[in-house]
Amino acid sequence: MYTCQMSLKEQLDNFKKQQVKCQTTLSNIASSRAGPSSLSRPVPAAAISHNKPSAPVKFSSDTERLQLINNVRKAPVGAQIKRVISLLFETRQAFTPEQINERCYVDMHANKAVFDSMRKNPKAHYDGRRFSYKAEHNVNDKSELLSLINKYYPDGIAANDLKDAYPNVMEDLQALKASEDIWLLSNSQEDIAYPNDFKCEITVDDDFKSLFRDTEVPSDCLEVEKELKKYGLKPVTDTAARRAAEQRYGIPISQPKHKKKRKQEITKRTKLTNAHLPELFQSLNASSSRN
């Protein structure tokens, strides 16, 4: 019985200590909201005599909020940084450490590790007083977005690199695609935004077209490599060395595979990249119309 009473007394003491600590935290937050100007301004005597002192905030009336503050400040450094970055990303505003403490309860003055990590974080900009979100590319509206994409001619820019520029950037990206100011093409992994630049439309001479059609390409890669070397070009592959290694290690020599010809179809990209050779698609258009 005596041990049980001692345990209850220790819990009560710890509860009282936590209540005092939380009351101090509330007082600090209230004083930071009041600002230094209100503290330094003289208060008239009449105001002091007539205004009743405000009742202190009871722990029991703000238990949930105080527990949240306590949990946030006991969280690992990484979790606190993530909380601050989320605040900066969602608001796109600049905050002082005191304002960050008010908004998301991360006290960077009391936790130097959080403050130093935020100063070095690639997603945060610190001007010596305030923290703000630092996007991959500094654009703020659709016109600036279009100007940025036009700078990435002809390689394009990944849409994932643009998604944190500003809140509705992805909607503007789709709007630019709908108005045909850009091309938004997908590969197996991501979307790429390309400038819709008409400099790629060129006129090809008829003699060059004939030369291209009359050139026969050998089916054996070894012959192709010999022809390239004849004209001073270095092949990417080395078929002779590969075949010698296959014979040395007893691996059967792979014969050139004859791929089945796919049914040729005219796609939107075919029309875009081969618009200078319309006669090549006359037979395809005729077969498509018959089907």
Side-chain angles (χ1 to χ4, degrees):
M1 179 63 72
Y2 178 76
T3 305
C4 181
Q5 290 178 351
M6 289 296 294
S7 177
L8 290 174
K9 187 176 184 304
E10 290 176 358
Q11 292 180 10
L12 181 60
D13 292 340
N14 292 334
F15 177 81
K16 290 180 179 179
K17 290 179 181 179
Q18 186 178 12
Q19 187 175 11
V20 172
K21 183 178 179 181
C22 292
Q23 183 64 45
T24 304
T25 301
L26 284 176
S27 301
N28 293 335
I29 293 175
S31 62
S32 64
R33 286 179 177 175
S37 59
S38 62
L39 295 176
S40 59
R41 186 183 304 165
V43 181
I48 298 176
S49 59
H50 292 291
N51 292 338
K52 295 181 180 180
S54 59
V57 180
K58 299 291 186 181
F59 175 76
S60 57
S61 64
D62 204 14
T63 305
E64 185 176 352
R65 177 169 168 270
L66 292 174
Q67 287 178 345
L68 174 61
I69 294 174
N70 187 51
N71 292 336
V72 168
R73 294 179 180 176
K74 286 184 176 180
V77 172
Q80 296 190 51
I81 291 175
K82 183 179 179 181
R83 191 174 178 86
V84 177
I85 293 295
S86 298
L87 171 67
L88 301 179
F89 174 76
E90 292 169 2
T91 61
R92 300 303 174 107
Q93 298 177 12
F95 295 102
T96 63
E98 293 80 8
Q99 292 170 334
I100 291 174
N101 185 19
E102 294 177 13
R103 297 291 293 267
C104 65
Y105 310 124
V106 176
D107 189 358
M108 286 193 284
H109 286 317
N111 195 329
K112 188 175 183 297
V114 175
F115 183 80
D116 292 340
S117 298
M118 278 297 302
R119 291 179 61 184
K120 300 175 184 178
N121 195 291
K123 289 298 181 183
H125 172 70
Y126 182 61
D127 61 2
R129 186 184 176 191
R130 292 183 174 87
F131 288 93
S132 57
Y133 186 78
K134 184 178 181 181
E136 185 76 16
H137 298 281
N138 186 23
V139 293
N140 300 299
D141 52 39
K142 186 164 66 172
S143 61
E144 293 182 3
L145 177 63
L146 178 59
S147 299
L148 174 68
I149 296 174
N150 286 335
K151 292 179 182 178
Y152 281 79
Y153 175 85
D155 298 326
I157 180 172
N160 285 336
D161 294 340
L162 301 170
K163 64 182 180 181
D164 69 338
Y166 55 93
N168 60 331
V169 64
M170 301 310 291
E171 289 82 354
D172 287 345
L173 199 64
Q174 293 296 332
L176 291 173
K177 175 187 175 182
S179 61
E180 297 187 355
D181 289 308
I182 65 169
W183 296 104
L184 190 60
L185 306 178
S186 300
N187 58 23
S188 58
Q189 297 179 346
E190 59 185 355
D191 293 341
I192 308 293
Y194 296 93
N196 189 2
D197 196 327
F198 295 99
K199 289 186 293 186
C200 60
E201 295 185 1
I202 59 175
T203 303
V204 181
D205 188 77
D206 291 337
D207 293 338
F208 183 80
K209 296 177 186 178
S210 300
L211 180 63
F212 176 80
R213 296 188 188 97
D214 296 340
T215 301
E216 295 184 2
V217 180
S219 59
D220 191 348
C221 289
L222 188 60
E223 296 298 325
V224 174
E225 293 171 2
K226 287 181 180 179
E227 290 294 324
L228 290 174
K229 291 178 181 178
K230 183 191 300 184
Y231 294 99
L233 300 176
K234 183 179 179 181
V236 176
T237 58
D238 191 345
T239 304
R242 178 176 57 81
R243 291 180 180 177
E246 289 175 348
Q247 291 179 348
R248 181 184 308 167
Y249 296 105
I251 302 174
I253 300 176
S254 57
Q255 298 296 329
K257 297 180 180 179
H258 299 283
K259 295 184 179 180
K260 294 182 179 180
K261 292 185 178 180
R262 294 188 305 173
K263 183 179 179 181
Q264 293 177 316
E265 297 178 354
I266 300 178
T267 63
K268 184 176 181 180
R269 183 164 178 80
T270 306
K271 292 180 181 179
L272 173 67
T273 58
N274 299 290
H276 55 282
L277 298 174
E279 66 276 6
L280 292 181
F281 304 103
Q282 292 176 358
S283 59
L284 293 178
N285 288 328
S287 61
S288 297
S289 61
R290 287 196 299 270
N291 294 333

